[in-house]
Amino acid sequence: MSSLYKDITLREDVAGCLLCRDAPCTKACPYMVEVDKIIRSLRFENKAGSVNKLPDVLPCDTCEDKPCKEACLKGKLNTPVQIDRIMKNISDETKIKEKEVDLSIDFCNVHCENPFFLSSSVVGNNYEMVAKAFEMGWSGVAFKTIGLFVPKEVSPRFAALTKENVPFVGFKNIEQISDHTLEENVGFIKQLKKNYPTKVIVASIMGQNEQEWTKLAEIMTEAGADIIECNFSCPQMVEEGLGSDVGQNPELVAIYTKATRKGTKLPILAKMTPNVGRMEVPAMAAMEAGATGIAAINTIKSIMNVNLTNFESEPSVEGKTSIGGYSGKAVKPIALRFINDMKKCEKLKNAPISGMGGIETWRDACEFLTLGCENLQITTSVMQYGYRIIDDLINGLKLYLSSNDYKSVNDIIGKALPNIVPADKLERDSICYPRFDMEKCIGCGRCYLSCYDGGHQAIKISEKNNKPVLIVNKCVGCQLCVTICPAEAIKQGKRLPKK
C-alpha cells in the first residue's frame, strides 16, 4: 500500500530537511553518497537531478548503522530526516541522460550565459557577495539599488508569513535602497566587471529628480554596467516621490525614463510596481520614453502578522511597523498575471521582460520563460537557501529541456501565452468529472466536507466503506475535490457534454 503514496511520502520526508551548510549527513556517509545534494535537488523539484546523483549501486539497504541519520541535525529538534527511505523511494527511478542544451540567451542585446540573475536587493549588495554568486554559476546581478543618498535603515526589517507547517509562504521587508555610499557602489561594480568580464551587471538606480536620474545613469555607465534598471517600484521608501510612487504615475515614469536615457546609451529596464491595476500603462510610458525593456514585478505593498496580544505587526520596530514589500512563492501567480498582460498588449508584445516574483525552482523559472520572459531575477529564495540554489536551477532546466528535445532555452519562451485566453473564450459546453481511485482513497472525508460546505453537495459517503460516491447530477466539474485530496486519490476524469 505504501508504494501508492511514494511521492507524497517523499515530499514530506524531504520537506523535513534543514538543508544544512556543510551537511553532517553527507560527511557521516561511509559510502560518500552526496546525501545533502540529493535531498536538496528533491526539495527544489529537480527529481531527475537527484536520481542522477545516486550511485549505481545504492548502499543504503546494507548499511545497518545508518550513520547519516545519526548525524542528522533535525534529530536535535525532534526526529531525524528519513534519509534511507528517501533514497529507497527514488532508487528505482531511471536516470536521465543529460543532452547538450544551450541555456544562453541574448537579453536586450546583452549576452547572458544563462537566464538566472540575482535581483536588486540585499542578495547583491557588495563585491564579495556578488563575486561568490558569480563563481557559483549565476549569470548576472541587478545590483542593489543605488542612489545619491544613503538611507537610514531600521531594525528589524524582515518578517515571514507561514501556513500550517510551511515556513516562508510569503516574505515582507521594509528595507530601502543600498546602504553603501555612491563611491563604494561604483567601486564594487568596477571591480566586478574587471574580474568577471563575461558576467552581466545591471545597475539599479533611483533618483529624486530628473537631474539625479541622468547623473546616476552617467555614473553607472562609466563604472562598467551592462544594463541600467530604473527602480520605479520600491514600496517602502521613506521620502515621497520615490519608488512605487513613481511607478503608479505614468507621466513620472516617462519623465524619469527620458532623464535616464539622456545619461546613457546602455539598455534600460523600467522596473514596474504591482501596486497598480494595469501594469501595461506605466510600462508603455516607459517604452515610449526610451526604455529597452521591462522588469517585473517588484514587491507588493503589505501588512502582515498582527500580534493579538500586544497588537504589533511585523517586523516590529519598537512596537511599530510600516507598509512594506511582500515577496516569495505566494506572489508568483500575481507576477505571471502581470507579465501575461504585458505580453498580450500590442505595444508591449515585443518588449524584453526580466521576470521575477516567487521564483524558487527551475519549474517556477520555466513558467516565467513560457509566458515570455527572457531573463529571470531571484531574491527571496536566495535569502532562504543561499546562492547554492543555482545548482538545481541550472541542472533542472537543462534536464527539462533535454528530456523534451528542446535545444535551447529560447525554444520555450512564450509557449504558454496562447493558452491564456479571455474568460469568454473558455469552453463552457461540457463538464470534466472527477475520477476516484478507491485503492488510494483512505476514507478521510475531506472531499465530502469541501464539496458540501464549499461546493455543490455532489459527494456522499458510502456507509459500506466510508469512501466517497459522486452524485453525478449535482456535480458541476469544479474539481475542488481534486485540489484538496491529501492522498492524491482524485484525478480529472472524462469530459462530457452538458445535458
Side-chain angles (χ1 to χ4, degrees):
M1 178 71 79
S2 61
S3 63
L4 292 172
Y5 311 108
K6 184 174 76 170
D7 288 342
I8 296 173
T9 302
L10 189 60
R11 287 197 299 269
E12 291 182 356
D13 285 343
V14 167
C17 180
L18 302 179
L19 300 180
C20 303
R21 183 194 72 85
D22 198 23
C25 56
T26 295
K27 294 167 74 173
C29 178
Y31 304 100
M32 295 183 289
V33 177
E34 294 180 310
V35 178
D36 61 325
K37 291 183 179 179
I38 291 170
I39 292 178
R40 198 162 75 231
S41 291
L42 288 167
R43 181 77 160 261
F44 295 118
E45 302 185 78
N46 183 17
K47 189 175 184 181
S50 71
V51 172
N52 284 356
K53 294 181 180 74
L54 288 174
D56 292 334
V57 178
L58 190 65
C60 299
D61 289 340
T62 58
C63 182
E64 295 182 2
D65 296 333
K66 303 291 187 287
C68 56
K69 288 176 69 173
E70 191 70 29
C72 178
L73 296 181
K74 179 72 167 18
K76 293 185 176 183
L77 297 177
N78 38 58
T79 57
V81 175
Q82 301 300 306
I83 297 171
D84 51 339
R85 186 163 67 189
I86 290 172
M87 300 299 168
K88 184 177 180 180
N89 271 344
I90 63 171
S91 63
D92 59 351
E93 300 279 346
T94 303
K95 291 188 177 185
I96 295 178
K97 185 178 180 181
E98 186 178 311
K99 302 174 188 175
E100 191 66 34
V101 294
D102 184 8
L103 293 191
S104 70
I105 189 165
D106 290 338
F107 177 66
C108 295
N109 293 319
V110 176
H111 187 70
C112 311
E113 64 189 59
N114 64 58
F116 301 114
F117 283 27
L118 300 172
S119 55
S120 177
S121 67
V122 70
V123 303
N125 194 32
N126 60 43
Y127 173 85
E128 183 182 7
M129 297 175 77
V130 177
K132 178 184 177 183
F134 283 170
E135 295 282 354
M136 296 179 76
W138 292 85
S139 175
V141 59
F143 211 79
K144 189 170 184 186
T145 302
I146 299 168
L148 295 177
F149 65 97
V150 177
K152 185 180 287 187
E153 290 287 12
V154 298
S155 173
R157 46 188 182 263
F158 300 135
L161 184 70
T162 63
K163 183 183 186 297
E164 295 164 358
N165 291 323
V166 182
F168 260 83
V169 171
F171 183 75
K172 177 187 173 184
N173 83 88
I174 51 174
E175 184 157 304
Q176 300 184 83
I177 67 172
S178 175
D179 55 2
H180 294 291
T181 65
L182 177 63
E183 292 71 24
E184 287 175 321
N185 283 317
V186 167
F188 295 149
I189 290 174
K190 285 183 175 180
Q191 196 64 36
L192 284 166
K193 202 61 198 173
K194 177 183 177 183
N195 293 344
Y196 302 94
T198 63
K199 301 292 185 176
V200 180
I201 298 176
V202 180
S204 176
I205 61 173
M206 183 185 291
Q208 296 176 287
N209 52 53
E210 291 176 69
Q211 292 72 30
E212 287 194 5
W213 284 99
T214 301
K215 183 176 181 179
L216 284 166
E218 291 172 346
I219 293 170
M220 294 304 112
T221 302
E222 187 179 340
D226 300 289
I227 298 172
I228 304 291
E229 182 178 86
C230 296
N231 188 340
F232 296 144
S233 47
C234 178
Q236 57 266 359
M237 296 306 297
V238 173
E239 302 294 331
E240 290 188 11
L242 292 173
S244 60
D245 286 351
V246 175
Q248 294 169 342
N249 185 330
E251 291 182 7
L252 273 181
V253 167
I255 290 169
Y256 290 156
T257 302
K258 286 180 182 177
T260 303
R261 178 51 73 203
K262 278 182 65 177
T264 187
K265 292 183 179 179
L266 294 176
I268 295 173
L269 296 178
K271 190 170 183 179
M272 295 287 101
T273 176
N275 301 298
V276 291
R278 295 184 63 226
M279 191 174 287
E280 312 96 285
V281 178
M284 284 189 289
M287 294 299 293
E288 290 167 1
T292 314
I294 302 297
I297 61 171
N298 207 328
T299 54
I300 301 168
K301 287 187 174 183
S302 63
I303 294 172
M304 66 161 60
N305 299 343
V306 176
N307 184 309
L308 297 183
T309 300
N310 58 22
F311 305 106
E312 297 175 5
S313 177
E314 293 182 343
S316 177
V317 182
E318 291 290 287
K320 308 295 182 185
T321 196
S322 63
I323 291 172
Y326 187 60
S327 62
K329 191 84 165 185
V331 311
K332 183 178 75 168
I334 299 167
L336 293 175
R337 168 246 156 161
F338 279 120
I339 288 163
N340 172 74
D341 288 351
M342 288 189 287
K343 279 295 177 183
K344 295 291 175 63
C345 175
E346 187 63 30
K347 292 185 177 180
L348 294 172
K349 64 181 182 180
N350 295 319
I353 296 181
S354 180
M356 68 197 85
I359 300 173
E360 289 192 355
T361 71
W362 69 268
R363 189 178 295 275
D364 298 326
C366 279
E367 291 184 39
F368 279 79
L369 294 169
T370 61
L371 281 176
C373 294
E374 300 171 23
N375 173 261
L376 306 167
Q377 298 188 32
I378 302 173
T379 280
T380 307
S381 187
V382 173
M383 295 177 78
Q384 295 179 74
Y385 307 115
Y387 297 132
R388 59 187 176 168
I389 64 170
I390 192 64
D391 294 341
D392 285 297
L393 287 169
I394 289 175
N395 182 246
L397 180 56
K398 277 185 175 180
L399 287 171
Y400 165 75
L401 292 173
S402 63
S403 62
N404 287 279
D405 294 325
Y406 295 117
K407 305 296 184 185
S408 162
V409 69
N410 281 293
D411 292 345
I412 65 169
I413 290 174
K415 287 187 76 69
L417 286 170
N419 296 321
I420 313 295
V421 298
D424 62 351
K425 301 297 183 183
L426 295 173
E427 208 288 315
R428 295 177 181 273
D429 295 320
S430 61
I431 293 177
C432 181
Y433 291 99
R435 177 174 57 83
F436 298 92
D437 184 337
M438 292 307 173
E439 188 179 8
K440 292 186 76 172
C441 176
I442 59 176
C444 69
R446 284 282 303 278
C447 57
Y448 167 79
L449 289 172
S450 291
C451 184
Y452 200 99
D453 298 356
H456 293 80
Q457 301 81 52
I459 294 175
K460 62 182 179 180
I461 298 298
S462 170
E463 295 181 2
K464 181 179 178 181
N465 58 12
N466 205 40
K467 293 189 177 184
V469 177
L470 185 68
I471 306 173
V472 177
N473 63 352
K474 285 190 173 184
C475 181
V476 299
C478 70
Q479 307 285 337
L480 176 61
C481 55
V482 175
T483 304
I484 60 89
C485 179
E488 298 180 357
I490 312 176
K491 305 292 184 185
Q492 290 190 12
K494 289 184 178 181
R495 177 174 291 278
L496 300 173
K498 288 182 179 177
K499 294 181 180 179

